[in-house]
Structures are given as C-alpha cells and as structure tokens.
Amino acid sequence: KQEVTQIPAALSVPEGENLVLNCSFTDSAIYNLQWFRQDPGKGLTSLLLIQSSQREQTSGRLNASLDKSSGRSTLYIAASQPGDSATYLCAVRHATDSWGKLQFGAGTQVVVTP
Amino acid sequence: GAVVSQHPSRVICKSGTSVKIECRSLDFQATTMFWYRQFPKQSLMLMATSNEGSKATYEQGVEKDKFLINHASLTLSTLTVTSAHPEDSSFYICSAQGAGTKNIQYFGAGTRLSVL
C-alpha cells in the first residue's frame, strides 16, 4: 500500500528565505505527483503537477523536483512571502489506477513571518 | 482552469438529521468525482469514487449506507450524510476530473459539517 510522508510537519521562516518542503512515497510506480496548497478552512489549489517521466516542474517562484526511483519529491519556494503561509500537500497517483485516485501526505504547515 | 463548485460551504445540523452536499463541475464534464474527508491537522482521506451513471466505489472502512453518493449527471455529484452524529463532524471536499481536464482532479472549496 502506498504511503506518502511529508517532512517537516510544520515550518516557520522569516520573509525572504527560501522554503524546502519534502515528500516521500513508498511505491515508486506512480503516474504523477502533485503539489497543492490549502489555506485554513479552504479547498485545495493545485500548484504543480509532475508526470512520472519528468524530473521537475517550475512555475514562477515554485520549483518541484521528482526522483521516482528514490521515492522523493521536493518543493522549493524561492524568496518566501507572508502570503505563502499555508499548508502544502503532496499527492501521488498510482501508475495502475485507472480512475486517478490520489494518495495524500499529511501536509507541511508553513508560516512566513514578516 | 476548470472550476468545481461545492455547496454549502458550512452546515450545522442536529444529531440524527441528514445533510446533502453538492459538488458541481461548472465548465467541464466530470466523468469521475471523488469525495474526501479531512479531520483537523490531518490529510485528506478518500471516501469514495463515483463515475457518472454507476454506483460509487467506497474505500475500506467507509459505510456506504451512511454516506450516500449519487453521480446522476456529468456535472453533479451529491454526498448525503444520513443520520448524522457528532463524530461525522468534519471537513468534506469533493474533486472532479474528466477528459476535458486531461484527467487532472480539480477540487471544490470544501464543506464544514458540524453535528450538534
């Protein structure tokens, strides 16, 4: 059974520092991996999606890498801002799941202080 | 991007009543919809997967008679929590995907259910 782990569970940094969020998964047979942002009491906003054949994806200040063989993905957020404060979730889709079910990690709660 | 609307955003009900939550895809046809439950400080747990026109498939441990899911059209799925009890209080989130979204899931804003 796929297990998705996110470390650290919580992170607090001063504004301007770079953020590094880690996601690991036990079954490397994934179809894709996705990073989401969740604000308190809100739904999910998709940030980046990496296909299994890709090594990284970039969007603005966000960069996500994927090392499928070692079961790891890292989300980098450059020059953090207070508006980046949120919980970040990673989720994997198994390669053989025809319906596209996602397995989520527990998330990393990020606080960026001004 | 694709938009998924979830309603209501918050509901408070008495123990023993039933509550219906709607999930709509506004600008695409959702052949598959997913229902998740999230407890405070925890991640999303998949409850069930529904394909339009067929019965939902529930994850292990989820009571299908308690959490009724209907996916009668390509744009609407509903989750009904029957005879709700305080332990059913949680944050429920739906997501939808279809060929038009390249089978990427888009999420609703969630429903906060509080059972008194």
Side-chain angles (χ1 to χ4, degrees), chain A residues 70-85:
Chain A
S70 67
R72 294 181 183 177
S73 176
T74 302
L75 177 66
Y76 300 90
I77 303 178
S80 61
Q81 304 169 357
D84 294 328
S85 298

Side-chain angles (χ1 to χ4, degrees), chain A residues 32 34 36 38 41-46 49 51 89-90 93 98-107 109, chain B residues 32 34 36 38 41-46 49 51 57 59 91 93 97 102-105 107-110 112:
Chain A
N32 60 38
Q34 206 164 352
F36 295 88
Q38 185 177 29
K42 304 293 184 182
L44 276 63
T45 300
S46 179
L49 183 147
Q51 301 292 352
L89 299 163
C90 72
R93 174 179 170 178
S98 59
W99 284 347
K101 292 193 293 186
L102 297 178
Q103 182 77 29
F104 282 85
Q109 186 175 8
Chain B
T32 306
F34 303 86
Y36 297 85
Q38 186 178 33
K41 304 290 185 182
Q42 296 186 27
S43 189
L44 279 73
M45 298 299 296
L46 180 66
T49 303
N51 290 293
T57 299
E59 294 298 302
F91 192 58
I93 305 179
Q97 69 182 32
K102 298 181 181 179
N103 291 321
I104 294 173
Q105 289 183 40
F107 286 77
R112 171 71 61 194

Side-chain angles (χ1 to χ4, degrees), chain A residues 42-44, chain B residues 4-6 23 91-96 106-111:
Chain A
K42 304 293 184 182
L44 276 63
Chain B
V4 175
S5 173
Q6 188 173 340
C23 181
F91 192 58
Y92 293 88
I93 305 179
C94 72
S95 70
Y106 288 84
F107 286 77
T111 297

Side-chain angles (χ1 to χ4, degrees), chain B residues 65-109:
Chain B
D65 293 331
K66 179 157 190 70
F67 300 100
L68 301 179
I69 292 171
N70 183 280
H71 190 169
S73 77
L74 284 171
T75 59
L76 174 65
S77 176
T78 60
L79 167 67
T80 301
V81 182
T82 61
S83 186
H85 290 284
E87 58 266 30
D88 299 323
S89 299
S90 188
F91 192 58
Y92 293 88
I93 305 179
C94 72
S95 70
Q97 69 182 32
T101 69
K102 298 181 181 179
N103 291 321
I104 294 173
Q105 289 183 40
Y106 288 84
F107 286 77

Side-chain angles (χ1 to χ4, degrees), chain A:
Chain A
K1 180 187 173 184
Q2 177 75 273
E3 291 186 7
V4 182
T5 304
Q6 290 188 246
I7 295 173
L11 184 61
S12 180
V13 299
E15 182 177 4
E17 274 199 12
N18 297 330
L19 286 163
V20 181
L21 309 179
N22 298 298
C23 173
S24 62
F25 46 95
T26 54
D27 186 347
S28 62
I30 66 170
Y31 183 77
N32 60 38
L33 182 145
Q34 206 164 352
W35 282 94
F36 295 88
R37 169 185 172 139
Q38 185 177 29
D39 293 291
K42 304 293 184 182
L44 276 63
T45 300
S46 179
L47 298 174
L48 291 168
L49 183 147
I50 312 176
Q51 301 292 352
S52 62
S53 59
Q54 298 175 318
R55 298 283 292 183
E56 67 176 351
Q57 278 286 337
T58 298
S59 176
R61 294 184 294 112
L62 276 60
N63 174 278
S65 66
L66 174 64
D67 184 341
K68 197 173 65 169
S69 61
S70 67
R72 294 181 183 177
S73 176
T74 302
L75 177 66
Y76 300 90
I77 303 178
S80 61
Q81 304 169 357
D84 294 328
S85 298
T87 296
Y88 292 82
L89 299 163
C90 72
V92 298
R93 174 179 170 178
H94 197 272
T96 60
D97 191 295
S98 59
W99 284 347
K101 292 193 293 186
L102 297 178
Q103 182 77 29
F104 282 85
T108 295
Q109 186 175 8
V110 171
V111 174
V112 181
T113 55

